PDB file of all heavy atoms in Angstrom:
ATOM      1  N   TYR A  37       5.291  -1.449   3.112  1.00 98.00           N
ATOM      2  CA  TYR A  37       6.053  -0.702   4.117  1.00 98.00           C
ATOM      3  C   TYR A  37       5.509   0.719   4.111  1.00 98.00           C
ATOM      4  O   TYR A  37       4.791   1.118   3.200  1.00 98.00           O
ATOM      5  CB  TYR A  37       7.547  -0.651   3.739  1.00 98.00           C
ATOM      6  CG  TYR A  37       8.345  -1.858   4.152  1.00 98.00           C
ATOM      7  CD1 TYR A  37       8.198  -3.083   3.500  1.00 98.00           C
ATOM      8  CD2 TYR A  37       9.289  -1.790   5.171  1.00 98.00           C
ATOM      9  CE1 TYR A  37       8.953  -4.182   3.864  1.00 98.00           C
ATOM     10  CE2 TYR A  37      10.048  -2.866   5.551  1.00 98.00           C
ATOM     11  CZ  TYR A  37       9.876  -4.067   4.885  1.00 98.00           C
ATOM     12  OH  TYR A  37      10.618  -5.165   5.258  1.00 98.00           O
ATOM     13  N   ARG A  38       5.862   1.452   5.136  1.00 98.00           N
ATOM     14  CA  ARG A  38       5.527   2.876   5.149  1.00 98.00           C
ATOM     15  C   ARG A  38       6.663   3.687   5.752  1.00 98.00           C
ATOM     16  O   ARG A  38       7.457   3.150   6.543  1.00 98.00           O
ATOM     17  CB  ARG A  38       4.228   3.126   5.920  1.00 98.00           C
ATOM     18  CG  ARG A  38       4.305   2.797   7.397  1.00 98.00           C
ATOM     19  CD  ARG A  38       2.909   2.919   8.026  1.00 98.00           C
ATOM     20  NE  ARG A  38       2.938   2.609   9.459  1.00 98.00           N
ATOM     21  CZ  ARG A  38       1.850   2.531  10.218  1.00 98.00           C
ATOM     22  NH1 ARG A  38       0.645   2.739   9.697  1.00 98.00           N
ATOM     23  NH2 ARG A  38       1.966   2.244  11.493  1.00 98.00           N
ATOM     24  N   GLN A  39       6.711   4.958   5.382  1.00 98.00           N
ATOM     25  CA  GLN A  39       7.734   5.838   5.929  1.00 98.00           C
ATOM     26  C   GLN A  39       7.121   7.200   6.233  1.00 98.00           C
ATOM     27  O   GLN A  39       6.639   7.878   5.332  1.00 98.00           O
ATOM     28  CB  GLN A  39       8.897   6.006   4.929  1.00 98.00           C
ATOM     29  CG  GLN A  39      10.073   6.768   5.521  1.00 98.00           C
ATOM     30  CD  GLN A  39      11.326   6.606   4.690  1.00 98.00           C
ATOM     31  OE1 GLN A  39      11.287   6.243   3.532  1.00 98.00           O
ATOM     32  NE2 GLN A  39      12.477   6.876   5.313  1.00 98.00           N
ATOM     33  N   ALA A  40       7.132   7.522   7.517  1.00 96.00           N
ATOM     34  CA  ALA A  40       6.633   8.814   7.959  1.00 96.00           C
ATOM     35  C   ALA A  40       7.781   9.829   7.922  1.00 96.00           C
ATOM     36  O   ALA A  40       8.948   9.446   7.953  1.00 96.00           O
ATOM     37  CB  ALA A  40       6.085   8.702   9.373  1.00 96.00           C
ATOM     38  N   PRO A  41       7.470  11.113   7.850  1.00 92.00           N
ATOM     39  CA  PRO A  41       8.519  12.142   7.795  1.00 92.00           C
ATOM     40  C   PRO A  41       9.474  12.036   8.974  1.00 92.00           C
ATOM     41  O   PRO A  41       9.031  11.937  10.134  1.00 92.00           O
ATOM     42  CB  PRO A  41       7.720  13.453   7.840  1.00 92.00           C
ATOM     43  CG  PRO A  41       6.395  13.094   7.269  1.00 92.00           C
ATOM     44  CD  PRO A  41       6.120  11.700   7.720  1.00 92.00           C
ATOM     45  N   GLY A  42      10.767  12.007   8.690  1.00 94.00           N
ATOM     46  CA  GLY A  42      11.760  11.959   9.726  1.00 94.00           C
ATOM     47  C   GLY A  42      11.936  10.610  10.373  1.00 94.00           C
ATOM     48  O   GLY A  42      12.683  10.481  11.354  1.00 94.00           O
ATOM     49  N   LYS A  43      11.261   9.574   9.859  1.00 96.00           N
ATOM     50  CA  LYS A  43      11.359   8.245  10.466  1.00 96.00           C
ATOM     51  C   LYS A  43      11.870   7.249   9.444  1.00 96.00           C
ATOM     52  O   LYS A  43      11.832   7.480   8.243  1.00 96.00           O
ATOM     53  CB  LYS A  43      10.002   7.825  11.002  1.00 96.00           C
ATOM     54  CG  LYS A  43       9.498   8.663  12.146  1.00 96.00           C
ATOM     55  CD  LYS A  43       8.241   8.069  12.763  1.00 96.00           C
ATOM     56  CE  LYS A  43       7.759   8.870  13.960  1.00 96.00           C
ATOM     57  NZ  LYS A  43       6.556   8.270  14.583  1.00 96.00           N
ATOM     58  N   GLN A  44      12.339   6.111   9.977  1.00 97.00           N
ATOM     59  CA  GLN A  44      12.779   5.030   9.096  1.00 97.00           C
ATOM     60  C   GLN A  44      11.590   4.312   8.478  1.00 97.00           C
ATOM     61  O   GLN A  44      10.478   4.332   9.001  1.00 97.00           O
ATOM     62  CB  GLN A  44      13.630   4.036   9.907  1.00 97.00           C
ATOM     63  CG  GLN A  44      14.963   4.577  10.332  1.00 97.00           C
ATOM     64  CD  GLN A  44      15.836   3.498  10.966  1.00 97.00           C
ATOM     65  OE1 GLN A  44      15.353   2.572  11.573  1.00 97.00           O
ATOM     66  NE2 GLN A  44      17.151   3.670  10.826  1.00 97.00           N
ATOM     67  N   ARG A  45      11.870   3.663   7.353  1.00 97.00           N
ATOM     68  CA  ARG A  45      10.818   2.891   6.720  1.00 97.00           C
ATOM     69  C   ARG A  45      10.427   1.729   7.625  1.00 97.00           C
ATOM     70  O   ARG A  45      11.277   1.058   8.205  1.00 97.00           O
ATOM     71  CB  ARG A  45      11.285   2.368   5.358  1.00 97.00           C
ATOM     72  CG  ARG A  45      10.202   1.775   4.509  1.00 97.00           C
ATOM     73  CD  ARG A  45      10.695   1.469   3.108  1.00 97.00           C
ATOM     74  NE  ARG A  45      11.000   2.693   2.356  1.00 97.00           N
ATOM     75  CZ  ARG A  45      11.187   2.700   1.036  1.00 97.00           C
ATOM     76  NH1 ARG A  45      11.123   1.586   0.334  1.00 97.00           N
ATOM     77  NH2 ARG A  45      11.472   3.831   0.426  1.00 97.00           N
ATOM     78  N   GLU A  46       9.134   1.502   7.744  1.00 98.00           N
ATOM     79  CA  GLU A  46       8.567   0.528   8.680  1.00 98.00           C
ATOM     80  C   GLU A  46       7.753  -0.504   7.936  1.00 98.00           C
ATOM     81  O   GLU A  46       6.898  -0.141   7.106  1.00 98.00           O
ATOM     82  CB  GLU A  46       7.689   1.259   9.705  1.00 98.00           C
ATOM     83  CG  GLU A  46       6.877   0.377  10.613  1.00 98.00           C
ATOM     84  CD  GLU A  46       5.820   1.112  11.397  1.00 98.00           C
ATOM     85  OE1 GLU A  46       5.295   2.106  10.882  1.00 98.00           O
ATOM     86  OE2 GLU A  46       5.503   0.688  12.511  1.00 98.00           O
ATOM     87  N   TRP A  47       7.988  -1.770   8.236  1.00 98.00           N
ATOM     88  CA  TRP A  47       7.185  -2.831   7.634  1.00 98.00           C
ATOM     89  C   TRP A  47       5.767  -2.776   8.183  1.00 98.00           C
ATOM     90  O   TRP A  47       5.556  -2.573   9.386  1.00 98.00           O
ATOM     91  CB  TRP A  47       7.813  -4.179   7.942  1.00 98.00           C
ATOM     92  CG  TRP A  47       6.931  -5.332   7.564  1.00 98.00           C
ATOM     93  CD1 TRP A  47       6.590  -5.776   6.309  1.00 98.00           C
ATOM     94  CD2 TRP A  47       6.232  -6.195   8.467  1.00 98.00           C
ATOM     95  NE1 TRP A  47       5.737  -6.847   6.385  1.00 98.00           N
ATOM     96  CE2 TRP A  47       5.511  -7.136   7.700  1.00 98.00           C
ATOM     97  CE3 TRP A  47       6.152  -6.263   9.870  1.00 98.00           C
ATOM     98  CZ2 TRP A  47       4.722  -8.120   8.255  1.00 98.00           C
ATOM     99  CZ3 TRP A  47       5.367  -7.250  10.427  1.00 98.00           C
ATOM    100  CH2 TRP A  47       4.659  -8.173   9.644  1.00 98.00           C
ATOM    101  N   VAL A  48       4.782  -2.983   7.314  1.00 98.00           N
ATOM    102  CA  VAL A  48       3.376  -2.929   7.709  1.00 98.00           C
ATOM    103  C   VAL A  48       2.692  -4.295   7.596  1.00 98.00           C
ATOM    104  O   VAL A  48       2.072  -4.764   8.551  1.00 98.00           O
ATOM    105  CB  VAL A  48       2.607  -1.899   6.841  1.00 98.00           C
ATOM    106  CG1 VAL A  48       1.128  -1.904   7.200  1.00 98.00           C
ATOM    107  CG2 VAL A  48       3.183  -0.505   6.997  1.00 98.00           C
ATOM    108  N   ALA A  49       2.751  -4.919   6.428  1.00 98.00           N
ATOM    109  CA  ALA A  49       2.031  -6.167   6.214  1.00 98.00           C
ATOM    110  C   ALA A  49       2.625  -6.901   5.042  1.00 98.00           C
ATOM    111  O   ALA A  49       3.206  -6.302   4.130  1.00 98.00           O
ATOM    112  CB  ALA A  49       0.551  -5.897   5.958  1.00 98.00           C
ATOM    113  N   THR A  50       2.443  -8.239   5.061  1.00 98.00           N
ATOM    114  CA  THR A  50       2.912  -9.112   3.989  1.00 98.00           C
ATOM    115  C   THR A  50       1.910 -10.211   3.751  1.00 98.00           C
ATOM    116  O   THR A  50       1.308 -10.729   4.703  1.00 98.00           O
ATOM    117  CB  THR A  50       4.263  -9.733   4.355  1.00 98.00           C
ATOM    118  OG1 THR A  50       5.250  -8.701   4.464  1.00 98.00           O
ATOM    119  CG2 THR A  50       4.718 -10.738   3.299  1.00 98.00           C
ATOM    120  N   THR A  51       1.754 -10.587   2.488  1.00 97.00           N
ATOM    121  CA  THR A  51       0.997 -11.785   2.145  1.00 97.00           C
ATOM    122  C   THR A  51       1.905 -12.735   1.418  1.00 97.00           C
ATOM    123  O   THR A  51       2.656 -12.328   0.508  1.00 97.00           O
ATOM    124  CB  THR A  51      -0.248 -11.463   1.295  1.00 97.00           C
ATOM    125  OG1 THR A  51      -0.949 -12.670   1.015  1.00 97.00           O
ATOM    126  CG2 THR A  51       0.074 -10.765  -0.018  1.00 97.00           C
ATOM    127  N   ILE A  52       1.924 -13.997   1.860  1.00 95.00           N
ATOM    128  CA  ILE A  52       2.718 -15.011   1.231  1.00 95.00           C
ATOM    129  C   ILE A  52       1.940 -15.599   0.081  1.00 95.00           C
ATOM    130  O   ILE A  52       0.783 -16.031   0.253  1.00 95.00           O
ATOM    131  CB  ILE A  52       3.084 -16.130   2.226  1.00 95.00           C
ATOM    132  CG1 ILE A  52       3.720 -15.529   3.501  1.00 95.00           C
ATOM    133  CG2 ILE A  52       4.004 -17.159   1.587  1.00 95.00           C
ATOM    134  CD1 ILE A  52       4.970 -14.781   3.266  1.00 95.00           C
ATOM    135  N   ILE A  53       2.531 -15.622  -1.107  1.00 90.00           N
ATOM    136  CA  ILE A  53       1.787 -16.019  -2.290  1.00 90.00           C
ATOM    137  C   ILE A  53       1.323 -17.470  -2.210  1.00 90.00           C
ATOM    138  O   ILE A  53       0.168 -17.769  -2.461  1.00 90.00           O
ATOM    139  CB  ILE A  53       2.594 -15.776  -3.563  1.00 90.00           C
ATOM    140  CG1 ILE A  53       2.974 -14.291  -3.673  1.00 90.00           C
ATOM    141  CG2 ILE A  53       1.832 -16.237  -4.787  1.00 90.00           C
ATOM    142  CD1 ILE A  53       1.803 -13.349  -3.637  1.00 90.00           C
ATOM    143  N   ARG A  54       2.213 -18.374  -1.811  1.00 86.00           N
ATOM    144  CA  ARG A  54       1.815 -19.754  -1.635  1.00 86.00           C
ATOM    145  C   ARG A  54       1.322 -19.937  -0.212  1.00 86.00           C
ATOM    146  O   ARG A  54       2.050 -19.706   0.728  1.00 86.00           O
ATOM    147  CB  ARG A  54       2.994 -20.693  -1.907  1.00 86.00           C
ATOM    148  CG  ARG A  54       3.352 -20.775  -3.351  1.00 86.00           C
ATOM    149  CD  ARG A  54       4.375 -21.868  -3.606  1.00 86.00           C
ATOM    150  NE  ARG A  54       4.706 -22.006  -5.006  1.00 86.00           N
ATOM    151  CZ  ARG A  54       5.525 -22.932  -5.496  1.00 86.00           C
ATOM    152  NH1 ARG A  54       6.127 -23.775  -4.672  1.00 86.00           N
ATOM    153  NH2 ARG A  54       5.774 -22.983  -6.784  1.00 86.00           N
ATOM    154  N   GLY A  55       0.085 -20.348  -0.100  1.00 81.00           N
ATOM    155  CA  GLY A  55      -0.486 -20.562   1.221  1.00 81.00           C
ATOM    156  C   GLY A  55      -1.357 -19.414   1.691  1.00 81.00           C
ATOM    157  O   GLY A  55      -2.276 -19.635   2.462  1.00 81.00           O
ATOM    158  N   GLY A  56      -1.083 -18.209   1.246  1.00 80.00           N
ATOM    159  CA  GLY A  56      -1.935 -17.082   1.536  1.00 80.00           C
ATOM    160  C   GLY A  56      -1.826 -16.512   2.910  1.00 80.00           C
ATOM    161  O   GLY A  56      -2.691 -15.750   3.356  1.00 80.00           O
ATOM    162  N   SER A  57      -0.767 -16.842   3.655  1.00 92.00           N
ATOM    163  CA  SER A  57      -0.617 -16.296   4.996  1.00 92.00           C
ATOM    164  C   SER A  57      -0.513 -14.772   4.938  1.00 92.00           C
ATOM    165  O   SER A  57       0.063 -14.201   4.013  1.00 92.00           O
ATOM    166  CB  SER A  57       0.638 -16.841   5.656  1.00 92.00           C
ATOM    167  OG  SER A  57       0.558 -18.242   5.804  1.00 92.00           O
ATOM    168  N   ALA A  58      -1.067 -14.141   5.963  1.00 96.00           N
ATOM    169  CA  ALA A  58      -0.999 -12.683   6.084  1.00 96.00           C
ATOM    170  C   ALA A  58      -0.336 -12.336   7.411  1.00 96.00           C
ATOM    171  O   ALA A  58      -0.670 -12.918   8.442  1.00 96.00           O
ATOM    172  CB  ALA A  58      -2.392 -12.085   6.015  1.00 96.00           C
ATOM    173  N   LEU A  59       0.598 -11.402   7.361  1.00 97.00           N
ATOM    174  CA  LEU A  59       1.337 -10.983   8.534  1.00 97.00           C
ATOM    175  C   LEU A  59       1.213  -9.478   8.685  1.00 97.00           C
ATOM    176  O   LEU A  59       1.211  -8.752   7.674  1.00 97.00           O
ATOM    177  CB  LEU A  59       2.806 -11.362   8.386  1.00 97.00           C
ATOM    178  CG  LEU A  59       3.103 -12.825   8.062  1.00 97.00           C
ATOM    179  CD1 LEU A  59       4.575 -13.015   7.678  1.00 97.00           C
ATOM    180  CD2 LEU A  59       2.767 -13.700   9.251  1.00 97.00           C
ATOM    181  N   TYR A  60       1.143  -9.024   9.930  1.00 98.00           N
ATOM    182  CA  TYR A  60       0.961  -7.585  10.200  1.00 98.00           C
ATOM    183  C   TYR A  60       1.853  -7.123  11.331  1.00 98.00           C
ATOM    184  O   TYR A  60       2.093  -7.865  12.287  1.00 98.00           O
ATOM    185  CB  TYR A  60      -0.485  -7.303  10.600  1.00 98.00           C
ATOM    186  CG  TYR A  60      -1.516  -7.730   9.575  1.00 98.00           C
ATOM    187  CD1 TYR A  60      -2.115  -8.970   9.650  1.00 98.00           C
ATOM    188  CD2 TYR A  60      -1.900  -6.847   8.552  1.00 98.00           C
ATOM    189  CE1 TYR A  60      -3.071  -9.362   8.722  1.00 98.00           C
ATOM    190  CE2 TYR A  60      -2.849  -7.227   7.627  1.00 98.00           C
ATOM    191  CZ  TYR A  60      -3.418  -8.482   7.716  1.00 98.00           C
ATOM    192  OH  TYR A  60      -4.371  -8.856   6.777  1.00 98.00           O
TER     193      TYR A  60
END
Side-chain angles (χ1 to χ4, degrees):
Y37 276 72
R38 66 186 179 186
Q39 188 165 19
K43 295 188 177 182
Q44 290 187 331
R45 191 172 292 193
E46 172 192 32
W47 170 71
V48 176
T50 296
T51 180
I52 308 299
I53 301 304
R54 288 189 178 183
S57 298
L59 306 169
Y60 302 93

